């Protein structure tokens, strides 16, 4: 099967000498000129022209102008980014690979890329290089690599107080374009944003199981599930699809890029549902009256509690000067995702990653699962080795089980919040194992040699992360879906 390589983009101000050289060679041979003849026309030796054509030398603009004049084309024609032919594109790809770090690390002899190299051999070498690169990337896509990428992303979010002004500006422009009056964004308003961007919406019953939505960029269609679960917000999947388009997301280069894109789409979707100006003003008024509440933000904008909690962390530090932390914890006690800039210490592994780590049983996020009242918020103070924190928490259901969603602040900032009068208090000594992970001595003595539990490990415990451009997505299924639904003719 023939392949057409896609050349990696270069910085805006860089000249791709390999493509430039191939364009010059292509035009020279098309005009029947030899190296000596072109060299004579520009006052250079044939060897110098050959160096340029092989991408080993970048000519100055004055020399480039002479070459263009000799070939009878404008300079812009030489500087076009695409290779002049498929064969040239393959040559450039192989040359670039041989000059890259992968070939250097393998200590392989280089292949002379010239006319004598058959096209089928050239294709085979380019494909072999791509496959080796893919295998190396797949090998690197381990749980360790994912945890490291997650830790780095969380550090970036902390450094910015989880506030991204460029994403807020995108939200303002989109809302302004559809003349959103402020307040909650209706489902109709969400559809208006899609229409403003030139998309039509199509609700289907056969959406690929591994996706929340599918965007057909060629025909400007967004496909969404026909049915939604009771816990789903009908705006969320559409806004995330819109966000990816607006932000110009391309296929993720690695797992870190995938995680960054996910954070950006979630952030922009929330910024559209809870516009900064109105939400920040509501929060400022609530702080002035000492009645800050995630529930009030949720109710004012008609969004799920988790969305309101996320948005609260975006705006609290920037607009209220209140440091916060956020946690989403599975009913099994493991940390699903979290954010902090207030000094709370989450459990972490040696790589600094927190996902999948067991949360102290005395923290609000764990105790809330035992509270029979699932409709009222639960508040608690927790004394920890890094200080006392107040937290509010709720439990929500999902197809993967129950999760608690919690927002907390250091003790000195609790005076601004509803629920500060709670008398619930706990002490956590974690990571000291005697806090809640180590069984009491009497209990351990009675059962240590008489018990053998069978663990229920997650399927991904030992597996590498899903590979592919979009981890976890079956691209074949997606492409078949698009084929079925694409407009005919």
């Amino acid at each position: 099967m023939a392949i057409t390589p896609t050349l990696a983009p270069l910085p805006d101000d860089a000249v791709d000498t390999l493509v430039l050289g191939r364009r010059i060679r292509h035009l020279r041979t098309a005009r029947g000129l030899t190296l000596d003849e072109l060299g004579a026309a520009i006052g250079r030796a044939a060897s110098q022209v050959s160096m340029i054509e092989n991408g080993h030398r970048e000519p100055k603009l004055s020399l480039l102008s002479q070459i263009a004049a000799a070939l009878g084309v404008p300079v812009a024609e030489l500087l076009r980014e695409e290779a002049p032919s498929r064969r040239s594109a393959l040559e450039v790809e192989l040359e670039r690979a041989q000059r890259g770090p992968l070939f250097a690390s393998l200590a392989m002899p280089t292949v002379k890329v010239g006319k004598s190299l058959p096209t089928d051999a050239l294709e085979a070498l380019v494909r072999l290089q791509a496959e080796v690169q893919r295998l190396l990337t797949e090998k690197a896509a381990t749980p360790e690599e994912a945890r490291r990428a997650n830790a780095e992303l969380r550090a970036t979010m902390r450094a910015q107080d989880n506030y991204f002004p460029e994403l807020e500006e995108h939200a303002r422009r989109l809302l302004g374009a559809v003349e959103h009056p402020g307040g909650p964004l209706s489902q109709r308003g969400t559809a208006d944003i899609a229409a403003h961007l030139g998309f039509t919406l199509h609700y289907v019953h056969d959406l690929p199981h591994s996706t929340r939505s599918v965007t057909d960029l060629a025909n400007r269609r967004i496909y969404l599930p026909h049915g939604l679960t009771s816990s789903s917000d009908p705006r969320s999947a559409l806004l995330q699809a819109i966000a990816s388009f607006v932000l110009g997301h391309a296929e993720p280069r690695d797992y870190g890029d995938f995680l960054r894109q996910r954070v950006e789409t979630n952030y922009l979707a929330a910024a559209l549902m809870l516009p900064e100006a109105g939400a920040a003003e509501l929060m400022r008024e609530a702080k002035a009256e000492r009645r800050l509440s995630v529930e009030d933000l949720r109710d004012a904008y008609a969004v799920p509690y988790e969305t309101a909690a996320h948005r609260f962390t975006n705006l609290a530090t920037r607009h209220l000067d209140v440091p916060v932390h956020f946690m989403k914890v599975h009913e099994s006690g493991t940390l699903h995702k979290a954010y902090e800039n207030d000094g709370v210490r989450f459990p972490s592994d040696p790589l600094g990653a927190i996902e999948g780590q067991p949360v102290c049983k005395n923290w609000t996020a764990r105790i809330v699962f035992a509270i029979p009242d699932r409709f009222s918020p639960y508040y608690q103070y927790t004394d920890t080795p890094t200080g006392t924190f107040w937290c509010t928490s709720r439990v929500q259901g999902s197809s993967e089980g129950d999760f608690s969603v919690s927002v907390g602040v250091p003790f000195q900032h609790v005076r601004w919040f509803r629920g500060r009068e709670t008398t619930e208090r706990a002490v956590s000594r974690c990571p000291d194992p005697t806090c809640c992970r180590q069984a009491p001595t009497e209990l351990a003595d009675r059962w240590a040699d008489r018990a053998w539990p069978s663990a229920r490990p997650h399927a991904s415990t030992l597996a590498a992360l899903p590979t592919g451009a979009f981890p976890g997505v079956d691209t074949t299924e997606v492409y078949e879906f698009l084929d079925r639904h694409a407009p005919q003719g």
Side-chain angles (χ1 to χ4, degrees):
M1 180 178 66
I3 56 174
T4 300
T6 300
L7 303 182
L10 295 172
D12 293 338
D13 59 349
V15 174
D16 190 332
T17 56
L18 285 170
V19 174
L20 172 64
R22 260 40 180 208
R23 295 197 68 81
I24 293 173
R25 177 182 295 167
H26 177 78
L27 292 167
R28 174 179 63 77
T29 56
R31 283 153 179 72
L33 297 175
T34 65
L35 285 170
D36 287 323
E37 289 170 337
L38 180 56
I42 62 173
R44 294 292 191 278
S47 60
Q48 291 179 290
V49 178
S50 179
M51 290 282 286
I52 294 172
E53 289 189 350
N54 288 319
H56 294 300
R57 179 183 169 192
E58 180 181 345
K60 293 182 180 179
L61 182 58
S62 57
L63 179 56
L64 201 58
S65 299
Q66 290 179 281
I67 295 173
L71 296 173
V73 296
V75 173
E77 178 67 18
L78 300 182
L79 294 175
R80 286 171 57 187
E81 295 180 356
E82 67 273 14
S85 67
R86 180 172 162 277
R87 163 82 190 199
S88 295
L90 289 167
E91 291 178 353
V92 168
E93 190 70 10
L94 183 56
E95 287 276 19
R96 190 174 293 169
Q98 292 188 129
R99 299 180 190 184
L102 175 57
F103 265 71
S105 65
L106 296 174
M108 292 176 59
T110 58
V111 176
K112 184 177 169 115
V113 182
K115 292 180 183 179
S116 60
L117 182 63
T119 299
D120 57 351
L122 180 58
E123 286 183 347
L125 288 170
V126 170
R127 176 172 293 181
L128 180 61
Q129 183 273 333
E131 182 65 11
V132 171
Q133 184 66 62
R134 185 191 68 80
L135 291 172
L136 287 175
T137 302
E138 181 176 327
K139 182 179 179 181
T142 61
E144 288 75 19
E145 188 267 343
R147 292 199 297 270
R148 186 178 291 106
N150 233 345
E152 292 173 356
L153 180 59
R154 193 162 51 86
T156 299
M157 294 166 68
R158 185 191 307 117
Q160 298 187 202
D161 293 324
N162 205 22
Y163 180 83
F164 294 82
E166 66 279 8
L167 299 180
E168 301 287 355
E169 181 59 27
H170 275 297
R172 278 192 290 273
R173 289 179 180 176
L174 287 172
L175 293 170
V178 297
E179 299 180 348
H180 178 61
L185 178 66
S186 65
Q187 193 166 350
R188 174 62 181 271
T190 306
D192 287 343
I193 293 175
H196 164 71
L197 295 171
F199 287 97
T200 56
L201 307 182
H202 302 265
Y203 293 87
V204 297
H205 291 282
D206 60 340
L207 196 73
H209 74 283
S210 58
T211 65
R212 298 188 66 199
S213 68
V214 174
T215 302
D216 178 349
L217 296 173
N219 298 294
R220 289 297 180 100
R221 291 178 159 208
I222 298 177
Y223 295 98
L224 298 156
H226 194 276
L228 293 167
T229 65
S230 58
S231 61
S232 298
D233 187 318
R235 298 165 296 176
S236 178
L238 173 55
L239 288 176
Q240 289 177 359
I242 288 172
S244 290
F245 172 77
V246 169
L247 298 175
H249 287 165
E251 291 185 358
R253 297 183 302 273
D254 50 36
Y255 205 78
D257 200 29
F258 170 74
L259 293 175
R260 177 189 59 79
Q261 290 184 8
R262 188 175 65 174
V263 166
E264 289 179 347
T265 55
N266 288 339
Y267 190 112
L268 182 51
L272 289 166
M273 287 193 284
L274 296 90
E276 180 179 20
E281 180 60 27
L282 185 152
M283 291 168 62
R284 280 192 292 267
E285 292 175 358
K287 182 185 178 185
E289 298 175 8
R290 301 192 176 211
R291 55 173 180 81
L292 273 174
S293 167
V294 176
E295 285 80 9
D296 289 349
L297 191 62
R298 174 202 62 189
D299 295 342
Y301 286 91
V303 295
Y305 184 84
E306 183 177 352
T307 302
H310 272 298
R311 194 64 177 136
F312 190 90
T313 68
N314 297 151
L315 304 176
T317 306
R318 176 57 60 100
H319 290 280
L320 308 181
D321 198 28
V322 175
V324 293
H325 67 265
F326 165 90
M327 303 174 67
K328 184 175 182 180
V329 176
H330 188 255
E331 60 185 332
S332 63
T334 56
L335 193 54
H336 186 70
K337 56 183 175 180
Y339 162 78
E340 50 77 26
N341 70 348
D342 63 353
V344 73
R345 184 181 297 169
F346 293 133
S348 64
D349 66 11
L351 295 174
I354 59 176
E355 289 72 21
Q357 296 298 305
V359 172
C360 178
K361 294 179 181 178
N362 299 318
W363 281 19
T364 313
R366 293 290 300 278
I367 290 179
V368 69
F369 286 108
I371 304 301
D373 182 2
R374 293 291 177 94
F375 295 96
S376 301
Y378 175 70
Y379 308 111
Q380 177 182 298
Y381 290 96
T382 308
D383 299 320
T384 78
T386 58
T388 297
F389 296 87
W390 171 91
C391 213
T392 176
S393 189
R394 272 186 174 273
V395 175
Q396 62 184 31
S398 79
S399 60
E400 299 173 352
D402 287 347
F403 287 88
S404 67
V405 176
S406 312
V407 172
V409 296
F411 179 80
Q412 60 268 36
H413 290 277
V414 72
R415 63 185 183 275
W416 312 117
F417 287 81
R418 292 186 189 273
R420 61 186 177 276
E421 68 282 353
T422 183
T423 57
E424 299 291 342
R425 195 168 194 127
V427 176
S428 168
R429 298 189 309 278
C430 282
D432 181 345
T434 63
C435 175
C436 64
R437 299 188 194 183
Q438 185 174 300
T441 303
E442 182 180 350
L443 197 60
D445 289 345
R446 187 160 59 246
W447 289 107
D449 298 325
R450 298 178 176 86
W452 186 264
S454 179
R456 187 197 296 269
H458 292 290
S460 60
T461 301
L462 300 177
L465 293 168
T467 58
F470 301 94
V473 172
D474 185 335
T475 52
T476 300
E477 188 180 17
V478 171
Y479 297 157
E480 290 173 346
F481 167 84
L482 289 173
D483 258 357
R484 288 196 304 273
H485 289 275
Q488 300 301 311

